[in-house]
């Protein structure tokens, strides 16, 4: 530190010198790593940009170059986004997808954070999505859930799981800390049992086993059963996250609310949950990120989410040499969503002033 | 004689096997100011917290403004609205502004119109001399200011009784008097008050009666003059020499 003090000027050059070239050993290590980084970036740029083939249907050009074959993406991107959805109806899937993203974006705006605005927004969002995707009304051709796929399916599953799972998580967390011991213990057991099961086995159970157990009217489509199972799994994890946020509250908060004559639901709704969510924000965002990524597991029960669709898109004889490029494209899609989510989490943290107390 | 503000008869409280409060009998008349003191662990906080069911008592009777405290949630809510409470650690809601802290319960529990609740809140914030802090968050205020907000918040529910649980114990010394001033003002206006406190100057100035507790029992009670000048019980004498000794 005293070394840095020798340089009165806080210029970038001096800072870099102090940080990376303070001693001869530092200088050698820094230079080596810099050279290595440049080499990696150069190779990457060579492959991804300079020698790459971008245009659609240029399989032959792809075969001739050592660069990336983005042609596979520009030729077959529709499969990634829409899966098995009938080609001429894919505009419906696109609009449905956009509607979902817009609804999700709107519900991130603080103005919508009220019991009067959020539920109608999401009910409208899901209704539009369902009508567009499923069809059968307004002269739209019917497309059953089995043929939904790609990004629209991934977003739909994620939104539905979050929206079913979050209220369920709150209920679980409240039951888990009930004053009645047998309720609290039963809930704890249920949470522990579900958390100890792999998500895959839960999805499998809900997709395959449930139809044998449930009465006919309650079976529904496989897609919705899987969503319910996934929501249950989400709720158990999220319930523990919320409970952690509640435990971080000083006991005096609830006592003060009691002393003011607030009822149980007022105490929960106005004092406990808002502060619990603020405390639990980082792990909650984490949970959403994991949930978004694990939607890919639905492929195991025969749904083509964005991941499986990507694999299918590069999986035919014509394009199977360009699998890596297709995976990069799918990774990019995941990155855009997950990165947006985590930036939004950072914004929320600032807005709610987690550090303030 | 009119109904007492608080009536406690042969009340017992246990924590597991530990007998925390033993056979407590205490009647507080409307308008009376009672100060409860005693060494730590003597059960004074537990006693005051039993009055509004922050702690549950196991036997005996507690009645506040004629409402008997039992397991009926309506009775508990009614008593809590009649008896305002001020805590040692203020317990303001950190995610709400000072004004929101003061209007939350009137709007939700008393169903008072928001504008009216805000007017009332401003009136009480002026009374505790911090109307200019109304739109700040509790974390931005000093301890003394927070405690005055906590008093205003309790007053906004128009309580008939005020319970103070060591209201100055968590404060820096220079902030104690600003809180005590507010409490003295409240006493002079005729509020029924039960205060657990070690502020003996306050007790001398406003109390009608001082109650001394030790080991979960009321050992001695009397007027401040009697109690401070002429304590009868040995433990009260020892306690007084400790708190007044320097």
């Amino acid at each position: 530190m005293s070394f840095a003090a020798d340089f009165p000027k806080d210029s970038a050059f001096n800072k870099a010198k102090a940080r990376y070239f303070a001693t001869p050993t530092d200088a050698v290590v820094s230079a080596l790593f810099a050279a290595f980084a440049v080499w990696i970036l150069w190779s990457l740029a060579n492959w991804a940009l300079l020698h790459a083939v971008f245009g659609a249907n240029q399989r032959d050009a792809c075969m001739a170059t050592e660069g990336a074959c983005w042609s596979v993406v520009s030729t077959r991107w529709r499969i990634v986004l829409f899966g098995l959805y009938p080609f001429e109806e894919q505009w419906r899937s696109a609009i449905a997808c956009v509607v979902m993203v817009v609804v999700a974006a709107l519900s991130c705006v603080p103005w919508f954070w009220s019991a009067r605005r959020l539920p109608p927004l999401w009910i409208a969002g899901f209704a539009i999505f369902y009508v567009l995707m499923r069809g059968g009304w307004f002269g739209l051709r019917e497309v059953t859930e089995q043929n939904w796929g790609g990004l629209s399916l991934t977003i739909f599953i994620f939104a539905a799981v979050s929206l079913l799972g979050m209220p369920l998580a709150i209920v679980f967390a409240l039951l888990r800390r009930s004053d009645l011991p047998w309720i609290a213990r039963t809930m704890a057991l249920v949470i522990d049992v579900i958390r100890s099961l792999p998500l895959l086995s839960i999805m499998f159970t809900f997709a395959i086993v449930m139809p044998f157990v449930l009465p006919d009217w309650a079976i529904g489509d496989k897609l919705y059963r899987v969503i319910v199972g996934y929501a249950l799994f989400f709720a158990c994890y999220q319930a523990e996250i919320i409970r952690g946020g509640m435990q971080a509250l000083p006991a005096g908060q609830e006592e003060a609310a009691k002393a003011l004559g607030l009822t149980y639901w007022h105490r929960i709704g106005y004092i406990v949950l808002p502060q619990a969510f603020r405390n639990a924000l980082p792990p909650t965002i984490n949970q959403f990120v994991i949930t978004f990524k694990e939607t890919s597991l639905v492929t195991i029960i025969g749904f083509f989410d964005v991941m499986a669709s990507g694999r299918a898109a590069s999986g035919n004889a014509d394009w199977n040499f360009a699998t890596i490029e297709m995976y990069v494209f799918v990774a990019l899609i995941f990155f855009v969503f997950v990165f947006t989510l985590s930036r939004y989490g950072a914004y929320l943290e600032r807005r709610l002033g987690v550090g303030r107390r | 004689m009119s109904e007492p503000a608080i009536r406690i008869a042969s009340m017992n409280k246990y924590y597991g096997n530990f007998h925390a409060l033993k056979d407590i009998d205490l009647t507080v008349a409307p308008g009376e100011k009672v100060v409860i003191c005693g060494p730590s662990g003597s059960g004074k906080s537990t006693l005051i917290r039993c009055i509004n069911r922050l702690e549950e008592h196991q036997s005996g009777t507690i009645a506040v403004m004629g409402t008997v405290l039992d397991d009926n949630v309506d009775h508990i809510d009614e008593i809590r609205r009649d008896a305002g409470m001020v805590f040692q650690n203020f317990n303001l809601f950190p995610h709400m502004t000072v004004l929101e802290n003061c209007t939350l319960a009137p709007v939700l529990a008393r169903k008072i119109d928001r504008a009216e609740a805000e007017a009332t809140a401003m009136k009480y914030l002026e009374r505790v001399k911090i109307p200019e802090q109304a739109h700040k968050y509790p974390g931005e205020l000093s301890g003394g200011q927070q405690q005055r907000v906590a008093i205003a918040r309790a007053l906004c529910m128009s309580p008939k009784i005020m319970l103070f649980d060591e209201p100055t114990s968590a404060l820096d010394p220079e902030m104690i008097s600003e809180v005590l001033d507010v409490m003295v003002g409240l006493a002079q206006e005729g509020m029924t008050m039960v205060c657990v406190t070690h502020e003996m100057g306050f007790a001398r100035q406003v109390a009608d009666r001082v109650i001394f507790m030790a080991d979960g029992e009321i050992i001695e009670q009397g007027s401040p003059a009697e109690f401070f000048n002429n304590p009868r019980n040995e433990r009260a004498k020892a306690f007084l020499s400790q708190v007044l000794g320097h």
Side-chain angles (χ1 to χ4, degrees):
Chain A
M1 278 285 105
S2 66
F3 189 79
D6 294 340
F7 298 84
K9 278 211 153 180
D10 221 19
S11 70
F13 176 77
N14 280 336
K15 262 193 209 161
K17 200 170 169 186
R19 281 180 190 159
Y20 307 114
F21 298 96
T23 68
T25 325
D26 279 6
V28 170
V29 171
S30 295
L32 277 175
F33 271 94
F36 186 60
V38 167
W39 177 71
I40 287 195
L41 283 177
W42 175 245
S43 324
L44 213 57
N46 251 332
W47 177 76
L49 300 172
L50 300 179
H51 294 135
V53 176
F54 289 94
N57 298 311
Q58 301 197 355
R59 183 173 175 277
D60 294 337
C62 276
M63 299 301 269
T65 178
E66 73 232 44
C69 178
W70 301 122
S71 184
V72 66
V73 176
S74 43
T75 310
R76 299 177 67 89
W77 59 273
R78 275 178 170 243
I79 297 180
V80 181
L81 295 193
F82 307 119
L84 302 175
Y85 212 77
F87 188 84
E88 61 282 8
E89 303 289 336
Q90 284 177 357
W91 59 273
R92 283 159 50 184
S93 184
I95 297 177
C97 198
V98 170
V99 166
M100 261 323 178
V101 171
V102 167
V103 166
L106 283 181
S107 54
C108 292
V109 178
W111 188 81
F112 277 100
W113 296 351
S114 92
R116 268 188 227 105
R117 297 189 183 129
L118 218 45
L121 178 72
W122 277 96
I123 290 170
F126 275 118
I128 294 173
F129 184 94
Y130 185 78
V131 168
L132 272 171
M133 288 294 282
R134 174 75 202 236
W137 290 282
F138 311 119
L140 296 174
R141 200 178 116 200
E142 186 172 342
V143 181
T144 58
E145 283 85 351
Q146 200 53 53
N147 291 318
W148 297 6
L151 185 60
S152 336
L153 182 68
T154 295
I155 290 180
F156 176 70
I157 294 175
F158 173 64
V161 165
S162 309
L163 241 71
L164 279 179
M166 192 49 101
L168 205 59
I170 293 172
V171 172
F172 283 8
L174 292 177
L175 291 177
R176 177 77 176 76
R177 69 198 280 280
S178 163
D179 287 335
L180 306 173
W182 59 273
I183 289 187
R185 274 189 217 130
T186 310
M187 197 65 243
L189 186 71
V190 170
I191 288 177
D192 285 343
V193 166
I194 293 182
R195 283 198 306 170
S196 67
L197 298 172
L199 179 54
L200 262 183
S201 66
I202 289 180
M203 284 184 169
F204 213 73
T205 309
F206 274 77
I208 312 298
V209 182
M210 278 299 177
F212 297 109
V213 184
L214 290 173
D216 280 349
W217 57 266
I219 291 180
D221 190 87
K222 192 165 77 171
L223 177 61
Y224 303 117
R225 290 200 307 276
V226 168
I227 286 175
V228 168
Y230 195 0
L232 205 60
F233 184 81
F234 172 88
C236 288
Y237 276 88
Q238 184 59 27
E240 289 294 278
I241 291 173
I242 296 173
R243 191 167 71 94
M246 287 173 172
Q247 280 179 340
L249 275 194
Q253 287 292 310
E254 245 194 304
E255 286 180 353
K258 279 182 185 171
L260 283 167
L262 295 180
T263 60
Y264 175 79
W265 290 111
H266 285 155
R267 297 199 298 267
I268 295 298
Y270 289 86
I271 307 302
V272 176
L273 280 182
Q275 295 190 70
F277 268 104
R278 183 197 288 190
N279 293 336
L281 192 60
T284 301
I285 294 291
N286 202 20
Q287 188 60 31
F288 276 120
V289 167
I290 293 172
T291 302
F292 185 80
K293 293 199 287 186
E294 291 195 340
T295 50
S296 301
L297 292 177
V298 294
T299 173
I300 198 73
I301 37 118
F303 283 108
F304 280 83
D305 76 305
V306 64
M307 182 76 183
S309 303
R311 203 161 48 231
S314 64
N316 67 347
D318 281 345
W319 293 103
N320 58 11
F321 64 92
T323 331
I324 290 180
E325 285 84 344
M326 197 43 113
Y327 275 128
V328 170
F329 177 59
V330 173
L332 201 66
I333 295 178
F334 273 95
F335 176 78
V336 166
F337 278 93
V338 169
F339 190 68
T340 310
L341 207 55
S342 65
R343 291 327 297 163
Y344 177 64
Y347 155 79
L348 270 188
E349 242 175 272
R350 272 197 310 280
R351 183 190 154 85
L352 298 179
V354 168
R356 187 180 58 210
R357 185 162 263 275
Chain B
M1 198 188 132
S2 63
E3 178 75 31
I6 301 173
R7 182 168 56 82
I8 300 174
S10 355
M11 188 265 277
N12 286 281
K13 157 91 192 151
Y14 298 84
Y15 289 112
N17 288 327
F18 177 67
H19 200 170
L21 292 174
K22 298 166 188 162
D23 234 8
I24 302 288
D25 287 299
L26 175 67
T27 306
V28 179
E32 196 181 9
K33 292 104 185 88
V34 175
V35 164
I36 304 176
C37 60
S40 70
S42 60
K44 40 193 200 310
S45 281
T46 309
L47 170 58
I48 201 172
R49 287 159 59 86
C50 280
I51 295 174
N52 65 354
R53 205 24 103 79
L54 292 185
E55 303 283 353
E56 199 174 336
H57 61 283
Q58 272 74 43
S59 68
T61 318
I62 296 177
V64 178
M65 302 306 295
T67 309
V68 175
L69 183 59
D70 49 27
D71 288 333
N72 186 324
V73 179
D74 292 338
H75 295 170
I76 297 174
D77 284 345
E78 201 174 325
I79 287 174
R80 284 173 177 168
R81 283 168 212 162
D82 281 340
M85 189 172 218
V86 175
F87 298 86
Q88 182 175 354
N89 294 317
F90 331 133
N91 293 343
L92 295 177
F93 306 129
H95 60 304
M96 299 180 181
T97 63
V98 164
L99 191 62
E100 287 165 348
N101 264 278
C102 292
T103 55
L104 182 73
V107 169
L108 292 180
R110 284 224 191 268
K111 312 281 178 222
I112 291 172
D113 171 69
R114 179 167 296 281
E116 193 187 330
E118 284 183 359
T120 310
M122 287 313 293
K123 186 181 89 186
Y124 284 115
L125 286 174
E126 264 159 45
R127 174 130 148 229
V128 301
K129 300 190 185 72
I130 36 175
E132 70 281 2
Q133 315 283 8
H135 296 287
K136 288 194 179 168
Y137 284 89
E140 299 171 276
L141 306 185
S142 73
Q145 289 174 325
Q146 290 194 47
Q147 193 61 299
R148 286 185 282 151
V149 171
I151 295 173
R153 175 175 76 175
L155 292 175
C156 284
M157 287 295 281
S158 339
K160 304 190 174 69
I161 302 165
M162 283 288 281
L163 308 171
F164 291 88
D165 187 4
E166 305 207 30
T168 56
S169 300
L171 294 175
D172 289 334
E174 75 273 18
M175 292 171 184
I176 290 177
S177 67
E178 67 191 57
V179 171
L180 289 180
D181 285 347
V182 170
M183 291 170 65
V184 171
L186 207 54
Q188 284 164 351
E189 285 163 38
M191 175 64 78
T192 309
M193 292 166 68
V194 179
C195 311
V196 172
T197 183
H198 295 299
E199 295 296 331
M200 293 303 135
F202 172 79
R204 263 184 213 276
Q205 194 183 344
V206 306
D208 297 311
R209 185 158 40 128
V210 177
I211 288 175
F212 178 76
M213 288 183 74
D215 298 332
E217 284 178 284
I218 295 179
I219 290 191
E220 182 162 342
Q221 52 180 311
S223 71
E226 277 172 3
F227 179 71
F228 287 114
N229 300 334
N230 208 357
R232 292 178 300 261
N233 183 283
E234 283 308 314
R235 299 195 56 177
K237 281 180 195 166
F239 175 77
L240 279 175
S241 73
Q242 273 163 357
V243 290
L244 300 175
H246 45 89

